[in-house]
Amino acid sequence: MPTPFEKPITKEDPFNLCFVCLGNICRSPTAEGVFQHLVKERGLDPYFYVDSAGTGAYHVGEAANSKSQEMANKHGIELDSRARKFEPDDLKEFDLILAMDHENFDNLQKLDLKNEYSGKLFLMREFDPKPGTKAVPDPYFGGMDGFKDVYDIVYRSCEALLNKLEKQIEED
Ligand code: 4NP
């Protein structure tokens, strides 16, 4: 199977990516909103489908956490996702699946019963240009500082990831 970074991206066959955390109310909705914002800013809407999900079902149906929304809004970004649980079929549907931390990554691997989709699974921070830990810290039980850190990490990583994927676009 070709890697996600070999796939030609066209309007007819857009690139589908899904950001995954635990609750799908803090980290992954931030990543979805930021990545979508960058896509729009570059006029690349027809080439990408962006989604997010959680490995846990505790918050299904909920809007993004108010502190995550506050951070995004400060930068002119709306977070309009509703929490959903990542389903095994999503492994097939998405071209690239980006886990926020090692626990989410391990849980995604466990859903891949026949080990068919490992080439699609990455930690989002693999693309963070700043060296350091590969996990996005869970901000849920902490204060605003944690949410600011999440936003900064997510923004850096999404910008670098889109720079990479943009090279795969084939205009017709
Ligand atoms: P997220 O944050 O995984 O970034 O959406 C969390 C949200 C909820 C919980 C943990 C983390 N929780 O324990 O309910």
Side-chain angles (χ1 to χ4, degrees), residues 4-157:
F5 302 104
E6 290 163 347
K7 175 184 152 141
I9 305 176
T10 64
K11 285 181 186 163
E12 288 69 35
D13 190 12
F15 195 88
N16 302 321
L17 67 168
C18 188
F19 294 94
V20 180
C21 60
L22 176 59
N24 193 209
I25 52 169
C26 303
R27 293 166 291 177
S28 61
T30 301
E32 177 188 342
V34 166
F35 196 90
Q36 186 64 62
H37 173 82
L38 292 169
V39 162
K40 209 167 197 166
E41 207 170 53
R42 298 183 192 190
L44 301 175
D45 296 58
Y47 297 100
F48 291 95
Y49 173 72
V50 192
D51 197 5
S52 66
T55 55
Y58 322 105
H59 296 278
V60 166
E62 288 181 26
N65 178 282
S66 58
K67 293 197 189 94
S68 300
Q69 294 204 40
E70 194 180 322
M71 270 316 304
N73 291 349
K74 266 189 196 165
H75 296 86
I77 298 173
E78 297 287 326
L79 304 184
D80 55 11
S81 68
R82 290 275 159 184
R84 72 172 184 95
K85 189 170 190 289
F86 189 90
E87 300 295 343
D89 278 355
D90 291 319
L91 289 168
K92 185 159 172 261
E93 297 306 322
F94 287 93
D95 297 304
L96 181 61
I97 299 162
L98 298 145
M100 292 291 140
D101 64 29
H102 298 83
E103 189 191 1
N104 312 144
F105 187 88
D106 291 348
N107 286 330
L108 289 168
Q109 271 187 328
K110 282 181 197 145
L111 295 177
D112 184 12
L113 299 175
K114 295 186 195 157
N115 195 26
E116 291 171 278
Y117 303 112
S118 58
K120 299 179 175 189
L121 303 182
F122 288 82
L123 285 162
M124 185 194 70
R125 284 193 86 174
E126 292 289 339
F127 306 97
D128 184 350
K130 211 168 164 177
T133 163
K134 292 282 170 251
V136 185
D138 181 349
Y140 186 62
F141 293 107
M144 205 60 199
D145 283 1
F147 285 84
K148 183 182 181 311
D149 277 351
V150 167
Y151 181 86
D152 292 343
I153 293 165
V154 160
Y155 193 90
R156 285 199 308 266
S157 305

